[in-house]
Amino acid sequence: MDSRKKITIMSPCYNEERSLDKLYQEVKDLMNSDLIASRYDWELLLVNDGSRDNSLEKMRELRNADDHVCFVNLSRNFGKENAMLAGFDYATGDCVIVMDADLQHPVSVIPEMIGFWEDGYDDVYGKRRVRGTETWLRKKLCLTFYSLLQKTTRIEILQNVGDFRLLDRRCVESLRALRETQRYTKGLYCWIGYKKKELLYDQADRQEGKSSFNYIGLLNLAIDGITGFTTSPLRISSVMGFIVSLAAFVYLVITLTKTILYGEPVQGYPTLICVILFLGGCQLIAIGIIGEYVGRIFNETKNRPVYIIDSYNDEKKL
Ligand code: UDP
Ligand code: MG
């Protein structure tokens, strides 16, 4: 009876040619260590997310040398969130460990993750003890975003928790069932539920290349996160509209009464312009918020696949 379990280590890769060797080496050393090799089979699944450098050739090279390495080649750059779904679709393990290809996630905590998995946890997530050398502004903005998101949604969104985690097959199957195109995977992990376990780790700095998420990228992710998980901005804009209308009505009564009692010498240009501009601004914001949701509806109703596969281990896919 073969009861050996298989572990998939999955990394989305975008322009990571310089990190892949190191990543493979570290993963291989760990998986071949006595403790793990005696009990588990493994694969390293690399998802090439339309890299513009030689990442694909590198992956091919690694696979030629060791068929523990598998790679999925997407037809273009679909973004990390979508690339991860491709990884979940092609992973064959009993559990999947998601880690960045840039070695910011320490391989050394993986045995501990596996230990918790064996103890019956379905989702062992890494929580950053420190956020590494990010700029002050980026840290601040991330924290503000997390607390904003948490306040507006009913499910618990974990702070300082990234994509570094071990997922049981059950979680992977659940995530595969969620095929929305504007993905905010960090929220989806929480949404699916299951038994979770936190594991603290120190995030290293990126060793090679540079981060592909700038402020605009993070802002987009933040908007996807909020609009994907809560409709409370719509509620807030209705409530704001109601409050402003009420104030306007009170002001209207006051103005009318004053005019009837004392007459009205024409004046009031400043008041008028202030009110018009203020209300105009409120309306534009509210329309913008509605637009965000309409845009999401538009994108989801097209029902396009989340990604397109060019090849899996160099076998062409339709
Ligand atoms: N990544 C990807 N597609 C993209 C951008 C990034 O697959 O369009 C991968 C990247 O190769 C890395 C991970 O996502 O493995 C995290 O990216 P990065 O290190 O640039 O982000 P950061 O760590 O700064 O959040
Ligand atoms: Mg990184």
Side-chain angles (χ1 to χ4, degrees):
M1 192 188 79
D2 187 15
S3 64
R4 280 167 73 83
K5 289 183 186 168
K6 183 169 179 184
I7 296 174
T8 298
I9 295 179
M10 190 268 281
S11 294
C13 308
Y14 177 61
N15 297 344
E16 302 283 5
E17 60 173 351
R18 286 188 292 168
S19 307
L20 287 177
D21 270 333
K22 251 190 237 168
L23 177 71
Y24 166 70
Q25 204 58 44
E26 287 195 11
V27 169
K28 187 185 80 175
D29 289 347
L30 180 86
M31 299 317 273
N32 285 343
S33 63
D34 295 341
L35 209 74
I36 295 187
S38 58
R39 301 181 56 191
Y40 303 102
D41 289 327
W42 62 281
E43 67 172 350
L44 174 62
L45 177 64
L46 302 167
V47 182
N48 178 31
D49 185 16
S51 299
R52 289 162 201 281
D53 63 0
N54 290 322
S55 298
L56 184 63
E57 284 71 40
K58 199 85 231 170
M59 291 175 190
R60 206 169 275 142
E61 224 171 81
L62 290 173
R63 179 166 173 85
N64 285 339
D66 180 352
D67 57 13
H68 282 115
V69 179
C70 297
F71 60 96
V72 177
N73 186 30
L74 303 187
S75 62
R76 64 169 171 86
N77 177 257
F78 281 90
K80 180 182 179 189
E81 306 290 319
N82 300 9
M84 283 198 297
L85 182 66
F88 293 137
D89 286 341
Y90 278 80
T92 54
D94 296 296
C95 72
V96 176
I97 297 174
V98 186
M99 59 189 293
D100 284 359
D102 57 7
L103 299 159
Q104 278 188 295
H105 296 155
V107 173
S108 54
V109 302
I110 289 180
E112 220 178 322
M113 282 182 161
I114 297 174
F116 283 124
W117 177 49
E118 289 293 354
D119 289 345
Y121 290 99
D122 299 300
D123 177 357
V124 186
Y125 58 88
K127 183 175 170 129
R128 272 162 290 191
R129 209 174 274 137
V130 284
R131 291 189 66 103
T133 51
E134 282 169 318
T135 60
W136 175 86
L137 183 65
R138 184 165 167 166
K139 265 183 229 177
K140 196 82 199 158
L141 286 176
C142 283
L143 287 182
T144 316
F145 162 67
Y146 276 128
S147 71
L148 200 72
L149 183 58
Q150 188 60 81
K151 279 192 193 118
T152 51
T153 177
R154 260 178 301 152
I155 58 164
E156 195 189 358
I157 307 275
L158 299 160
Q159 269 198 27
N160 262 348
V161 173
D163 290 307
F164 183 36
R165 58 179 71 221
L166 180 151
L167 296 161
D168 184 71
R169 179 52 47 193
R170 300 203 284 168
C171 299
V172 175
E173 292 306 321
S174 309
L175 287 171
R176 290 182 60 198
L178 307 176
R179 308 217 58 103
E180 57 206 70
T181 44
Q182 279 168 299
R183 304 179 73 77
Y184 181 66
T185 317
K186 284 188 195 68
L188 299 179
Y189 297 129
C190 299
W191 190 88
I192 59 170
Y194 289 119
K195 215 169 144 196
K196 295 186 188 304
K197 177 77 189 167
E198 172 180 302
L199 196 69
L200 288 174
Y201 74 96
D202 292 310
Q203 176 147 323
D205 291 330
R206 196 174 229 289
Q207 302 202 358
E208 303 287 346
K210 62 178 201 303
S211 168
S212 30
F213 288 92
N214 49 22
Y215 285 110
I216 304 266
L218 288 176
L219 179 70
N220 283 333
L221 191 64
I223 292 177
D224 278 347
I226 290 178
T227 51
F229 279 88
T230 162
T231 47
S232 50
L234 293 175
R235 174 86 33 92
I236 294 169
S237 61
S238 322
V239 172
M240 286 287 286
F242 186 75
I243 294 172
V244 172
S245 308
L246 198 72
F249 182 75
V250 171
Y251 189 60
L252 184 138
V253 171
I254 294 172
T255 319
L256 276 184
T257 322
K258 252 173 57 186
T259 317
I260 291 165
L261 293 183
Y262 307 110
E264 176 64 50
V266 183
Q267 249 187 5
Y269 172 75
T271 340
L272 211 59
I273 204 78
C274 290
V275 170
I276 290 175
L277 289 181
F278 176 70
L279 288 185
C282 290
Q283 282 166 350
L284 285 181
I285 292 173
I287 291 173
I289 293 174
I290 297 171
E292 281 296 328
Y293 286 93
V294 174
R296 278 188 81 87
I297 298 170
F298 171 67
N299 280 331
E300 299 299 343
T301 49
K302 282 187 287 189
N303 225 347
R304 291 188 182 163
V306 178
Y307 59 83
I308 291 177
I309 295 277
D310 175 60
S311 59
Y312 174 62
N313 291 340
D314 270 342
E315 273 171 50
K316 283 222 167 13
K317 291 279 164 188
L318 279 182

